[in-house]
Amino acid sequence: MMDVGRHPRINLYTYSEIEDVSGYIGNFHVKLRKKARYVNEDECNACGECELVCPVVGPDSFQQGFSSHKAIYMPFPQAVPSVYILDDELCLGHNPIACGKCADVCEKNCIDFDMEDEIIELDVGAVVVATGMDVYDPTEMDEYGYTRFENVITSMEFERLISAGGPTEGHFVRPSDQKTPKRIAFIQCVGSRSNSEVGNPYCSNICCMNTVKDSLLLKDHYSDIEITVFYMDIRAFGKGFEDLFIRSKQAGVNYIRGLPGEFFEDPQTKNLTLIAEDTNTGEIKSHEFDTVVLSVGVIPRQDSDTVRQLFTLSRTEDGFFMESHPKLKPVDAPTGGVFFAGCVEYPKDVKDSVTQASAAAARAQVLLNAGDINIEAITSVCLTDDCTSCGICVKVCPFNAIRGGDAKAKTPAEVIEAMCKGCGTCAAECNFDALTMKHFEDAQYTAQIDAMLEGDHMANTVVFACNWCSYAGADLAGLSRLQYPASQRIMRTMCSGRVDSEFILHAFEKGAPIVLVSGCHFADCHYIDANRWTVKRIEKLWDKLEKLGIRPERLQLEWISAAEGRKWANTMRDLEDMRKQVTKEEVEHTMQVLKEEREKAEAKAAKKAAKKLEAKNIPVTAEA
Amino acid sequence: MNDDGLRVGVFVCECGKNIAGSLDCQKVSDYAATLPDVACSVVNKYTCAEPGQQEIKRYIKEQNLNRVVVASCTPRMHEPTFRNCVSEAGLNPYLMEMANIREHVSWAHINDWDAATQKAMDSVRIAVARAKLLRPQTEASIPVTKEVLVIGGGVSGIQSALDLADAGYQVNLVEKEASIGGIMAALDKTYPTMDCSI
């Protein structure tokens, strides 16, 4: 920690949060808010005079609320930076100025009640996301009586009570009478490996070994203390872990395989009685303890959604951030230039966190060392001859990458290639086919659709899947060996925003029984909000189909994230049911109606083109 | 290039038993060979492995291929691999197309041999249709900002920040709380060494 504070190449922004992110791999622009701490960081020398005179106290969250701190305080003794902070909600002098004692005694005049938040802008090439985890709150597990019974504490609270830097200076006492307990129980898997509605189904990875460690700490401090651990399985799988577990057993810690049911508190002694079955012997026994420690699990960080959305990241079913590949790219985020370190990806102990953090740093260096990187050639191009300067592309582009398109000034659209991310929404929305996407051209899609519907066109549904979410969701379904009927043919688009109405109508005209457009959930779109245009387009098409006497249900829209392999498989099953409902006559009718519709439109367009040529006094020949 | 000059090569990957265990790769390859403009079609045990890639390169040269279709795993996995491979043989990387017959076919329809084979054949036909219309592309090259952002100052963020700073990069470490340290700083001792956490 100290090394970070001293390192010449580390700018440390504490009490700060990310507010906005733009740009892309190699070139991110980040805005962060450095919140006012009301103490000048450069000047404060942590003399502590301010704290002595401050008249207000509040609960100390670092000490899990077991002790208090003043309104102006040091977060904890080893804090980096070693600077005081003023809690503006506790402080009396803040507004209106009623106190100001701290400012009076501060010789260096560090305290500034008028300090404001600061917005800092940074340009970076790579980002390491290490937002960490939260600890499970066992209050909802009513049977364990946490918060109802004074002497039921969590393993996080235990850490502070056994710590020399804690509220009791390392003298472990129980909350009800501040006496050192003689009999103490640890309950494992609190909030983890749960198959009920409370808690989480996954293993939190660290709690078994944490309890083994805690039991040894207690035995070190109080050799005659009786310790019982109630567990499902002890997972001591890492290097040196089994040794530590054996040491704990040799030290006399009693391990009982079986979790207790309800706890009962003796109102006089505040002792706890619990009944548990030892599943190794089948014996059901009642046990009395002075203190019970709930070995609580790890949960995804509850306030990490801002970071998730700003970098368009996804969560796996357990709520932790999803990596690029579970085995081969475990520290790469699916978003280029973003890497994961620590518990943001899954619960980890210190060793694994440090290992992954070094891996993330190394992966980031691969990018930073590269100097220049190539950007995929999938940008949009405007064919100016066909552009009517209507400006729809300018309006729909999520990245403001198109300028011009001004009907009054008659300036055709112009794509700024460096800003275009290749979602293709402009190409889909352009009514004049004046915009096209490199490598994802209209003709390439229609050729795929034709190939899909060759032969028995009734046999399969036509599926558009966006690269980042739905296509990846289909990959995950395969990877997880989720089985579904084989009656769909899939086309990849970079974004669902690329799916032109014409592709869908073309598919129906060629005899598709069902068409599915699938993409990212709204907040997850990799092109900010391009998929909102997808919805508008599909809604318009539903109206159009209905007017033409075609069942709108034959066009489906579904949001499937990269983590939703199960949803993909279920959707494919649903589509198969729908496909079976579609009759041959219905499809033939659709094909006929859409053919006539297209021919009418083409005749109209030809007439318009001829008129245009006539106006320019160009003779209309039979060939033209 | 006019359409008459199209020469597509199709490479069907068995991926050991990952694909070949659930569908008939030879049948897919034989079918691909019958498609218009397909100059050759072969089955590989592992197309992504060195011998598989060598074979693609050899066929590009010997058969004068100007389009390549690799029917294997998801392009989200090996598109860069095969783009590199064809470009080493002198073909523009954007003239390579993939048909995903593993994640989307063999693994999703394990016990449906005929339907999986049919879906794989269709996937190859669809990929060939697209491949024929692909055009060479040139990638733009952009510079990388040699600075890094680390979000979170717990043990992981601290380690990443120190490694990157020691490697010579300017690091910006952002922490929501008033001090770095995170949850680790609140722990008394940590296993397995039973030493101080800070």
Side-chain angles (χ1 to χ4, degrees):
Chain A
M1 275 174 69
M2 311 307 143
D3 294 345
V4 170
R6 280 198 295 262
H7 206 294
R9 281 187 294 275
I10 298 180
N11 298 327
L12 180 57
Y13 302 100
T14 50
Y15 209 42
S16 304
E17 287 180 48
I18 310 291
E19 281 222 325
D20 195 27
V21 176
S22 59
Y24 44 89
I25 177 170
N27 298 274
F28 293 102
H29 185 73
V30 180
K31 250 186 224 172
L32 53 103
R33 177 177 294 271
K34 188 164 174 48
K35 292 176 281 182
R37 64 195 286 154
Y38 306 105
V39 176
N40 184 330
E41 249 177 81
D42 300 329
E43 291 297 319
C44 175
N45 61 2
C47 71
E49 293 293 328
C50 52
E51 189 178 6
L52 293 175
V53 297
C54 177
V56 203
V57 288
D60 185 343
S61 58
F62 181 77
Q63 302 289 12
Q64 300 283 315
F66 285 129
S67 62
S68 58
H69 62 53
K70 296 288 186 68
I72 189 160
Y73 65 100
M74 181 69 87
F76 53 96
Q78 307 94 324
V80 174
S82 184
V83 172
Y84 274 75
I85 179 168
L86 189 145
D87 181 334
D88 61 346
E89 280 176 25
L90 281 177
C91 177
L92 299 174
H94 194 66
N95 188 27
I97 291 185
C99 175
K101 284 187 175 143
C102 53
D104 292 344
V105 297
C106 181
E107 281 180 7
K108 302 194 80 183
N109 291 324
C110 303
I111 297 158
D112 174 7
F113 293 114
D114 299 323
M115 191 181 274
E116 284 183 3
D117 290 0
E118 200 184 332
I119 301 292
I120 294 164
E121 302 201 18
L122 302 169
D123 287 303
V124 295
V127 179
V128 176
V129 177
T131 46
M133 47 96 152
D134 275 335
V135 177
Y136 176 71
D137 177 354
T139 312
E140 64 173 353
M141 294 182 81
D142 204 40
E143 66 275 25
Y144 288 166
Y146 178 68
T147 66
R148 267 193 301 135
F149 305 145
E150 274 180 85
N151 293 325
V152 176
I153 61 170
T154 68
S155 41
M156 271 314 282
E157 290 166 339
F158 176 91
E159 290 293 337
R160 296 321 301 155
L161 290 172
I162 196 87
S163 170
T168 54
E169 294 177 336
H171 302 290
F172 186 77
V173 294
R174 64 179 200 162
S176 70
D177 52 13
Q178 277 81 54
K179 284 188 182 150
T180 300
K182 294 202 163 33
R183 300 160 300 175
I184 184 164
F186 286 85
I187 316 293
Q188 294 309 108
C189 296
V190 176
S192 309
R193 301 181 69 193
S194 155
N195 50 15
S196 74
E197 275 175 25
V198 294
N200 297 296
Y202 54 84
C203 167
S204 288
N205 220 339
I206 56 173
C207 335
C208 284
M209 289 313 296
N210 195 57
T211 291
V212 169
K213 172 207 78 178
D214 289 347
S215 73
L216 285 166
L217 286 180
L218 280 172
K219 282 285 182 188
D220 274 356
H221 284 56
Y222 314 100
S223 55
D224 57 346
I225 195 166
E226 287 173 30
I227 306 172
T228 308
V229 178
F230 294 92
Y231 69 98
M232 283 201 246
D233 303 286
I234 291 292
R235 295 184 165 173
F237 52 83
K239 188 172 183 174
F241 290 10
E242 188 67 16
D243 285 350
L244 211 63
F245 178 42
I246 291 168
R247 258 175 68 192
S248 169
K249 285 198 283 193
Q250 283 171 344
V253 177
N254 182 24
Y255 284 84
I256 296 180
R257 189 172 180 274
L259 296 180
E262 209 167 342
F263 296 4
F264 302 96
E265 186 192 51
D266 183 324
Q268 251 77 56
T269 62
K270 302 282 180 188
N271 288 348
L272 298 141
T273 301
L274 38 102
I275 297 162
E277 181 190 350
D278 182 336
T279 56
N280 284 337
T281 61
E283 235 183 318
I284 298 174
K285 256 177 138 178
S286 162
H287 309 260
E288 191 178 331
F289 297 102
D290 306 323
T291 302
V292 175
V293 180
L294 303 179
S295 185
V296 287
V298 171
I299 58 169
R301 179 122 186 150
Q302 299 301 289
D303 59 4
S304 56
D305 235 32
T306 316
V307 167
R308 186 185 70 76
Q309 283 175 13
L310 288 173
F311 290 101
T312 57
L313 305 168
S314 304
R315 292 180 191 279
T316 36
E317 274 180 49
D318 49 31
F320 294 94
F321 284 9
M322 196 178 73
E323 62 280 47
S324 212
H325 189 281
K327 281 180 301 197
L328 304 175
K329 288 187 173 177
V331 302
D332 291 33
T335 305
V338 180
F339 306 91
F340 293 137
C343 294
V344 63
E345 180 260 338
Y346 200 67
K348 285 181 192 70
D349 61 15
V350 174
K351 179 185 175 180
D352 283 355
S353 295
V354 167
T355 308
Q356 200 192 27
S358 286
R363 293 288 297 155
Q365 284 176 63
V366 171
L367 169 63
L368 297 169
N369 274 337
D372 291 328
I373 48 162
N374 284 358
I375 293 285
E376 258 196 303
I378 49 171
T379 51
S380 145
V381 190
C382 183
L383 313 164
T384 41
D385 283 352
D386 296 326
C387 179
T388 62
S389 312
C390 75
I392 179 96
C393 53
V394 179
K395 194 170 125 195
V396 302
C397 177
F399 301 97
N400 298 320
I402 308 178
R403 61 179 165 215
D406 186 337
K408 276 187 199 153
K410 294 225 164 177
T411 45
E414 185 194 345
V415 180
I416 308 155
E417 210 177 325
M419 288 170 78
C420 172
K421 305 287 183 293
C423 67
T425 306
C426 55
E429 286 295 321
C430 178
N431 289 319
F432 308 96
D433 290 338
L435 278 151
T436 183
M437 297 301 300
K438 285 186 199 167
H439 204 55
F440 288 99
E441 297 174 26
D442 287 13
Q444 293 163 356
Y445 280 111
T446 42
Q448 286 181 89
I449 296 166
D450 291 344
M452 275 181 190
L453 297 164
E454 226 178 275
D456 180 8
H457 57 80
M458 295 294 289
N460 296 301
T461 53
V462 170
V463 176
F464 294 93
C466 86
N467 177 64
W468 303 100
C469 290
S470 302
Y471 195 93
D475 284 352
L476 181 63
L479 199 63
S480 319
R481 307 300 194 276
L482 299 173
Q483 302 296 296
Y484 53 87
S487 57
Q488 65 297 119
R489 302 295 177 256
I490 303 158
M491 257 173 296
R492 185 165 67 124
T493 61
M494 288 314 283
C495 177
S496 63
R498 175 67 186 100
V499 183
D500 198 319
S501 306
E502 283 177 29
F503 303 165
I504 297 167
L505 293 172
H506 184 79
F508 280 128
E509 190 189 330
K510 291 286 172 173
I514 302 278
V515 175
L516 169 74
V517 177
S518 59
C520 305
H521 291 277
F522 272 152
D524 295 350
C525 180
H526 280 64
Y527 304 95
I528 305 176
D529 58 356
N531 57 355
R532 300 218 176 240
W533 294 99
T534 314
V535 182
K536 285 187 187 159
R537 205 177 305 139
I538 299 289
E539 282 172 349
K540 261 195 228 164
L541 268 176
W542 277 329
D543 283 348
K544 182 175 178 146
L545 293 176
E546 195 156 25
K547 275 182 199 147
L548 293 171
I550 301 164
R551 273 197 301 136
E553 301 83 67
R554 288 174 53 204
L555 170 59
Q556 289 285 314
L557 176 65
E558 200 66 69
W559 305 133
I560 301 169
S561 82
E564 291 176 327
R566 201 174 304 278
K567 187 172 181 189
W568 173 270
N570 289 339
T571 305
M572 292 306 119
R573 278 184 216 112
D574 293 346
L575 283 185
E576 175 59 358
D577 291 342
M578 286 180 216
R579 187 189 67 82
K580 284 184 188 153
Q581 305 284 322
V582 181
T583 63
K584 202 153 186 158
E585 296 72 47
E586 192 179 359
V587 170
E588 274 164 11
H589 167 259
T590 305
M591 291 165 77
Q592 185 59 34
V593 169
L594 289 177
K595 186 172 173 248
E596 284 165 14
E597 202 49 27
R598 179 176 49 80
E599 284 169 354
K600 249 194 271 170
E602 279 171 3
K604 207 169 146 191
K607 221 170 166 184
K608 209 171 161 190
K611 234 183 199 168
K612 210 170 157 188
L613 291 178
E614 219 171 275
K616 288 183 183 170
N617 284 328
I618 299 169
V620 182
T621 62
E623 284 80 24
Chain B
M1 181 184 309
N2 68 47
D3 287 358
D4 298 333
L6 280 172
R7 292 184 65 78
V8 185
V10 177
F11 300 85
V12 180
C13 180
E14 292 185 336
C15 195
K17 283 277 171 211
N18 283 304
I19 296 173
S22 306
L23 59 89
D24 189 340
C25 290
Q26 192 55 52
K27 193 174 170 188
V28 174
S29 173
D30 292 346
Y31 167 73
T34 67
L35 295 168
D37 302 318
V38 171
C40 63
S41 178
V42 289
V43 176
N44 306 108
K45 190 108 193 132
Y46 293 103
T47 313
C48 63
E50 191 56 28
Q53 294 199 41
Q54 287 303 338
E55 196 155 55
I56 295 178
K57 289 181 202 168
R58 184 166 63 83
Y59 272 93
I60 290 175
K61 294 208 171 103
E62 284 178 10
Q63 297 278 332
N64 209 13
L65 301 178
N66 49 32
R67 296 290 187 282
V68 165
V69 169
V70 180
S72 59
C73 51
T74 171
R76 292 173 52 83
M77 174 116 163
H78 273 316
E79 194 173 55
T81 312
F82 293 120
R83 277 188 178 168
N84 273 339
C85 168
V86 301
S87 96
E88 278 169 18
L91 201 62
N92 184 285
Y94 286 80
L95 299 178
M96 188 285 301
E97 176 64 11
M98 290 181 77
N100 182 347
I101 62 166
R102 191 177 75 172
E103 281 82 350
H104 291 192
V105 186
S106 66
W107 281 350
H109 318 299
I110 290 172
N111 298 316
D112 204 348
W113 183 269
D114 291 342
T117 305
Q118 186 59 53
K119 188 173 171 183
M121 284 157 63
D122 289 355
S123 302
V124 169
R125 181 177 71 236
I126 295 159
V128 168
R130 174 170 151 81
K132 291 199 308 196
L133 295 175
L134 291 175
R135 298 176 210 249
Q137 306 288 350
T138 320
E139 291 186 342
S141 180
I142 52 158
V144 174
T145 310
K146 293 203 177 296
E147 208 168 299
V148 62
L149 169 70
V150 178
I151 308 173
V155 58
S156 305
I158 289 172
Q159 185 66 46
S160 287
L162 287 173
D163 279 6
L164 285 158
D166 287 345
Y169 294 100
Q170 185 65 44
V171 176
N172 300 286
L173 176 58
V174 178
E175 165 59 46
K176 193 170 194 168
E177 301 296 333
S179 168
I180 55 169
I183 293 201
M184 182 199 64
L187 303 178
D188 177 45
K189 303 276 192 296
T190 55
Y191 66 82
T193 47
M194 309 293 285
D195 52 0
C196 166
S197 64
I198 292 184

